[in-house]
Amino acid sequence: MSIAKKRRMPIHPLALAALPAALLLGCGGGSSDTALPQLAAASPGKLATCAELASRFSHPGTQITQAEQVAAGVLTRGNSAVAAHCLVRGEMNARTSPQDGRRYAVGFEMRMPLDWNGRFFYQANGGSDGEVLTALGGGGPAPTTALQQGFAVISSDAGHKGGQDLFFGIDAQARLDYGYQAVAKLTPMAKDLIAAAYGRRPDRSYIGGCSNGGRHTFVAMTRMPGEYDGYLAGAPGYRLPLAAIANQFGAKQYASIATNPADLSTAFTGAERAMVSAKVLDKCDALDGVKDGIIQDTAACQASFDFQRDVPSCSGARDGSCLTSAQKTAIAPIFSGAVDSKGNRFYASFPFDSGHNAADSSFWEFFVSTNIDPAMTAMTWGSPPVSPTGFSGAAYALNTPIDTMLASVAATSGVYTESGLSFMQPVNPTQLSTLKQRGAKVMVYHGVSDPIFSANDTASWYEGVRTNNSGDASNFARYYPVPGMSHCTVGPATDQFDMLTPLVNWVEKGQAPDSVVAGVRTAGNVAGPNPDVPASWSAQRTRPVCAYPKVARYNGTGDIERASSFSCK
């Protein structure tokens, strides 16, 4: 892919790898249409009823199976007690599948605090869904959750049971529920349930999640632009089927050099991945003004670091300090972007960063690529689906041509009337005028070291949004790359931050967040410690996470462990 040579401002190099051809950008210090509606702030309320909801609440296709009050402290997060709230569990549209004979329903739980802040939060869950996670709202490394902040929160299984049951895509409806219909069905029901519990509907509504939850959020942005006032997406796998096929492309590359064919990690060991990260850090750490173990200027790093030149080549046996020429040949295309048989790139490149040996990287690259991704490609997104009988994820990933996978997720057949690319991906994701003109806001974050969904892909999306808004979308949508962070969390990074509060303040007070302060997670942290935090870092280290394309740069003076010593420029 290429970009137009003529443009009104340089494109940030983080986005180069996935930009469409002939993309023209305008610079603009401010948006040309800043007079967007200002939404009013939510008003607090008190829970009026709880247990009675089991018998009194009615919504089409909905069965309430449990409604009870939960005392303060019964539910905890870390050492923090969650305030008293009403727990409601139920399901929608229970049925028996005509394809596989199994029972399906859209399961959910909703937690509504006694002292309500007037807001609703849809907790978009990750992975392949299949489990009703505790409706805290956000979770992950955030210091607080939506429920703790007073939101009414819903969580769901997206229409199928069993988080590790990857055969649910045989059912045609379960596919669609997982893709986009579960959110569309649950949203109006949840608002009606809130009205029944509090005597009024929510003043403001928010949706958010990371990974597949980020995808759900992107889908809602385009399919449901009138239902939510704030959209918070982390590591958005908004092109999830293509990212999964790209991961299987990587598995094929690793298999070609693995010393143990049954263990792909022998192709690129932890020691070797750590060595590559260290070489990237050596080359790029100081580009933001200080050597502190964090590469803030990702774009400059991509221009400075050369994989072939800057990673030592082995002259003898592999010992973790070098890569063989065969390794470099196999691994380089994973970073530069997966391609089909004709050499056409179908997914984004991955930026070089400091976290390529993060605690979760081997899981995503070597396990998911030969277990979860092939099953989802073959049986959830593919059309017609492959039979689950005797299915081997590793065999599918390593032996099925990439072109076959790509054709399958783009196809329809029989009762599978929507392709995987259609029901899984947002509709025209860079066209967000409807939510924009309502006064709704979008915040997106992504770890630069993410090994499964590329930060370059998210940067490309945001460049497209900017292009469709006269070169500047910052009055309604902002993107925050997190240097060093892996997939949603971990990595040598300041990976704990609260983006929900800034989003609320932007939506309801007009306070646009130029940056968000992030900290490290060490022992005793409410979200648990981050195993990738270097021992040399202070446990109190903080950094500003800057809105793209700005970069956190050292001011030249001040404690390098404090966010106040850095400015977004």
Side-chain angles (χ1 to χ4, degrees), residues 183-357:
V183 178
K185 295 168 183 175
L186 288 167
T187 296
M189 185 281 297
K191 292 182 179 182
D192 286 351
L193 186 57
I194 288 172
Y198 294 103
R200 63 182 175 92
R201 295 169 68 81
D203 295 323
R204 300 271 74 90
S205 297
Y206 297 82
I207 181 171
C210 199
S211 188
N212 179 57
R215 181 198 66 83
H216 279 305
T217 304
F218 264 48
V219 170
M221 280 159 43
T222 61
R223 288 185 180 269
M224 306 172 67
E227 290 291 344
Y228 291 94
D229 306 304
Y231 300 80
L232 177 57
Y238 72 103
R239 298 200 294 162
L240 202 160
L242 298 180
I245 296 174
N247 205 31
Q248 292 169 85
F249 171 90
K252 294 175 188 290
Q253 296 296 112
Y254 288 132
S256 71
I257 53 170
T259 58
N260 178 0
D263 181 3
L264 293 186
S265 69
T266 61
F268 195 20
T269 66
E272 290 167 338
R273 296 199 305 277
M275 178 272 297
V276 171
S277 295
K279 295 302 178 183
V280 179
L281 198 61
D282 287 345
K283 196 75 174 180
C284 303
D285 193 359
L287 295 174
D288 52 27
V290 65
K291 297 193 72 172
D292 59 353
I294 298 178
I295 302 169
Q296 298 285 0
D297 198 339
T298 302
C301 183
Q302 307 317 298
S304 298
F305 180 80
D306 184 276
F307 182 67
Q308 299 292 343
R309 178 195 66 206
D310 296 324
V311 174
S313 296
C314 296
S315 57
R318 289 171 56 185
D319 61 2
S321 66
C322 58
L323 295 181
T324 66
S325 59
Q327 283 181 294
K328 286 188 175 183
T329 298
I331 295 169
I334 299 174
F335 280 103
S336 62
V339 296
D340 63 17
S341 64
K342 296 181 179 179
N344 298 314
R345 191 168 62 205
F346 60 86
Y347 189 64
S349 63
F350 285 80
F352 291 105
D353 196 36
S354 62
H356 299 306
N357 193 37

Side-chain angles (χ1 to χ4, degrees), residues 47-57 64-70 85-89 112 114 193 196-197:
L47 188 73
T49 183
C50 180
E52 296 81 3
L53 293 171
S55 58
R56 294 183 181 178
F57 178 70
I64 301 299
T65 58
Q66 179 183 358
E68 61 183 35
Q69 190 161 314
V70 180
H85 59 276
C86 177
L87 168 62
V88 177
R89 291 190 173 119
M112 297 177 284
L114 273 62
L193 186 57

Side-chain angles (χ1 to χ4, degrees), residues 62 99 108 237 243 342 405 425 493 554:
T62 303
Q99 282 82 49
F108 67 88
K342 296 181 179 179
M405 297 182 190
Q425 297 186 148
Y554 184 54

